[in-house]
Amino acid sequence: MTENTEQYWEQAWSREEMERLHSLLRERPFDKQEVLEQFQRNRVKKLCDVGCGFGFYASHFARAGFAVSGIDIAASSVQLTRQLLREQGLQPGEFAAAPATDIPFADRSFDAVFCNSVVDHMTLTEAERAIGEMERIAAPGGLIYLSFDLLDEDDWALPHDLLPDGSLRYTQGRREGMVLHPHSLQTVQKLLAGKNNIFLREHAGQVEALYQKEEL
């Protein structure tokens, strides 16, 4: 993970205000109900939110009764998530500022890992390492959810450099320093080859995958 990437996300989350985030929480619909129900059916208790952002998904999962911990590369994001959970009367689990390529939790710590639109902001080498880390912290038989945003014309039109693996690194404006890889259903199928998929699909502008870590 490059220093520019870390700086981008730190600045992005430090610009946010709690009042605006509360408004987003009220107005933005929860769009992962099927994932939540899959977690419930599989009796998930402990959940790790990898790339927790401002806590939108963490708060929904916590209100559904899961013990939620998480990480984000930006310390400001972790602070926002903790604050948001406390303000809703929810008890934060363990949250840490760390990249998804080096998750500071013990092996087999969680029944499920949730990672929305994070791995697509990495080079392919970093993405493979991050997925390995998520599998490491998941218990045998645990569930891992990943989503990858599909790029549109506007994403391609903004000034960027093209990295050797085809990833875009933005060079100007609010996205300066952001990395975004142009994933498709086919690239995600290749990235997750051999996994025990519950589903792998294009849905609502994303490629979504939910799979089960192999039992030992």
Side-chain angles (χ1 to χ4, degrees):
M1 195 73 65
T2 68
E3 183 179 354
N4 284 345
T5 300
E6 293 182 24
Q7 289 175 348
Y8 168 80
W9 290 109
E10 189 65 58
Q11 291 170 0
W13 286 115
S14 64
R15 287 193 297 261
E16 304 298 340
E17 299 177 358
M18 284 304 299
E19 184 176 344
R20 192 179 80 81
L21 297 180
H22 284 156
S23 177
L24 278 174
L25 194 67
R26 291 190 300 270
E27 297 170 5
R28 178 179 169 183
F30 179 66
D31 57 346
K32 305 299 179 187
Q33 185 64 31
E34 182 181 355
V35 179
L36 187 153
E37 291 171 359
Q38 287 281 359
F39 289 169
Q40 290 173 329
R41 280 196 289 271
N42 282 270
R43 303 190 181 195
V44 167
K45 294 181 179 177
K46 294 182 65 180
L47 169 68
C48 184
D49 185 357
V50 174
C52 58
F54 73 90
F56 176 79
Y57 290 111
S59 64
H60 278 281
F61 287 124
R63 288 202 302 273
F66 300 114
V68 182
S69 296
I71 65 161
D72 199 281
I73 195 171
S76 52
S77 167
V78 171
Q79 183 178 354
L80 286 170
T81 298
R82 288 194 186 114
Q83 184 177 349
L84 184 67
L85 290 172
R86 291 192 182 106
E87 287 186 1
Q88 294 182 54
L90 301 168
Q91 181 61 43
E94 185 178 356
F95 283 85
T101 52
D102 191 15
I103 299 175
F105 296 138
D107 297 358
R108 307 176 188 178
S109 297
F110 298 96
D111 305 312
V113 178
F114 177 86
C115 183
N116 182 66
S117 187
V118 173
V119 179
D120 48 329
H121 289 286
M122 301 178 182
T123 65
L124 287 176
T125 299
E126 291 169 340
E128 290 172 354
R129 182 174 173 183
I131 291 169
E133 278 289 273
M134 287 183 257
E135 292 179 355
R136 177 185 65 78
I137 66 170
L143 299 182
I144 299 171
Y145 171 83
L146 303 168
S147 72
F148 307 74
D149 289 340
L150 296 170
L151 273 63
D152 58 24
E153 292 181 4
D154 290 341
D155 294 316
W156 286 103
L158 295 172
H160 64 271
D161 291 331
L162 202 61
L163 303 182
D165 70 348
S167 299
L168 287 66
R169 178 180 288 128
Y170 292 98
T171 57
Q172 296 179 30
R174 287 177 64 88
R175 285 194 184 185
E176 183 178 359
M178 178 200 282
V179 172
L180 192 57
H181 190 85
H183 280 288
S184 64
L185 183 60
Q186 290 71 33
T187 65
V188 176
Q189 285 172 334
K190 185 176 181 180
L191 195 60
L192 301 181
K195 308 299 184 188
N196 183 19
N197 294 324
I198 296 171
F199 59 71
L200 177 55
R201 66 194 183 191
E202 284 189 23
H203 177 71
Q206 293 185 315
V207 177
E208 292 187 306
L210 180 67
Y211 67 95
Q212 189 170 32
K213 180 178 174 179
E214 289 187 4
E215 302 267 7
L216 294 182

